[in-house]
């Protein structure tokens, strides 16, 4: 059961309602995480703006692999369910690739290097080794791309922390493909 209060949709300001409507239009429903964050309109705006901005820094499958690897490393059940759903339903990822991403790998060698790297970022609290950096560089990523990868990982950590603190009730629709959330 969620531990933070969730405002009724009738009680959120008009601007906040517009943000929730946009989220609902993108996903087909408004997830509990966004409903909870709506209790603080500034935080809701910050989270959704950051997500929207970071959609431009790496391709979608790489973002999904990062989200799955980080959420697994951080033990966020809600985010694992959400990112499994989004990766499967909107990201074109197979259930095998979703499971590999959660384990710090991928069917794609370049994304596998990213998934391993971001798990190290989480587990070592950013104190990655030279070898960790060389592995991601060796997969073909430049330093500006590594900065983008770390930034996406931190954005995922933000929502992981919100959902872990809240113990957000999982409200993710069942995945239509062979993968299953959670």
């Amino acid at each position: 059961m969620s531990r933070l209060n969730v405002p009724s949709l009738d009680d959120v300001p008009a601007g906040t309602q517009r943000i929730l409507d946009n989220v609902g239009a993108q996903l087909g429903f408004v997830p509990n995480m966004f409903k909870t964050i709506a209790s603080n309109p500034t935080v809701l705006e910050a989270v959704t703006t950051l997500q929207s901005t970071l959609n431009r820094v790496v391709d979608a499958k790489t973002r999904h692999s990062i989200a799955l690897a980080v959420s697994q490393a951080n033990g966020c059940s809600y985010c694992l369910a959400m990112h499994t759903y989004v990766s499967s339903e909107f990201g074109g990822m197979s259930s095998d690739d979703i499971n590999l991403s959660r384990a710090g790998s991928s069917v794609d060698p370049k994304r596998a290097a990213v998934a391993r790297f971001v798990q190290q970022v989480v587990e070592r609290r950013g104190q990655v080794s030279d070898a960790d950096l060389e592995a991601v560089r060796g997969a073909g990523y430049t330093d500006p791309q590594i900065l983008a990868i770390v930034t996406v990982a931190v954005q995922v950590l933000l929502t992981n922390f919100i959902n872990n603190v809240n113990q957000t009730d999982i409200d993710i629709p069942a995945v239509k493909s062979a993968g299953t959330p959670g």
Side-chain angles (χ1 to χ4, degrees):
M1 180 174 201
S2 295
R3 300 189 304 179
L4 299 175
N5 293 323
V6 179
S8 89
L9 294 180
D10 295 332
D11 292 336
V12 298
T16 301
Q17 186 60 54
R18 279 192 295 280
I19 294 171
L20 294 176
D21 290 345
N22 287 338
V23 169
Q26 291 172 354
L27 297 175
F29 73 107
V30 179
N32 282 339
M33 176 188 82
F34 292 100
K35 290 176 188 174
T36 301
I37 297 173
S39 70
N40 187 321
T42 303
V43 173
L44 178 65
E45 182 179 2
V47 167
T48 56
T49 300
L50 182 60
Q51 289 175 335
S52 177
T53 300
L54 293 179
N55 283 345
R56 300 188 306 261
V57 299
V58 294
D59 67 273
K61 284 189 177 180
T62 301
R63 282 193 322 276
H64 295 314
S65 292
I66 292 168
L68 290 159
V70 168
S71 296
Q72 182 71 43
N74 202 37
C76 184
S77 298
Y78 187 87
C79 291
L80 282 170
M82 176 59 78
H83 293 298
T84 296
Y85 174 76
V86 171
S87 298
S88 174
E89 298 302 305
F90 303 107
M93 289 178 70
S94 69
S95 58
D96 286 343
D97 202 15
I98 289 168
N99 290 332
L100 286 169
S101 292
R102 289 178 63 168
S105 190
S106 174
V107 297
D108 175 81
K110 199 168 177 180
R111 280 191 287 122
V114 169
R116 277 190 301 277
F117 178 71
V118 296
Q119 281 189 329
Q120 293 304 307
V121 169
V122 172
E123 290 169 6
R124 295 182 183 162
R125 297 181 179 158
Q127 301 292 325
V128 296
S129 69
D130 290 343
D132 294 327
L133 274 173
E134 280 311 307
V136 76
R137 284 181 181 134
Y141 289 97
T142 64
D143 287 359
Q145 290 170 319
I146 293 169
L147 289 171
I149 289 163
V150 171
T151 304
V152 171
V154 170
Q155 179 268 310
V156 174
L157 279 172
L158 170 63
T159 56
N160 284 179
F161 285 0
I162 289 169
N163 289 299
N164 282 344
V165 166
N166 186 36
Q167 295 179 1
T168 307
D169 292 329
I170 296 176
D171 60 339
I172 313 307
V175 174
K176 294 176 190 162
S177 68
T180 56

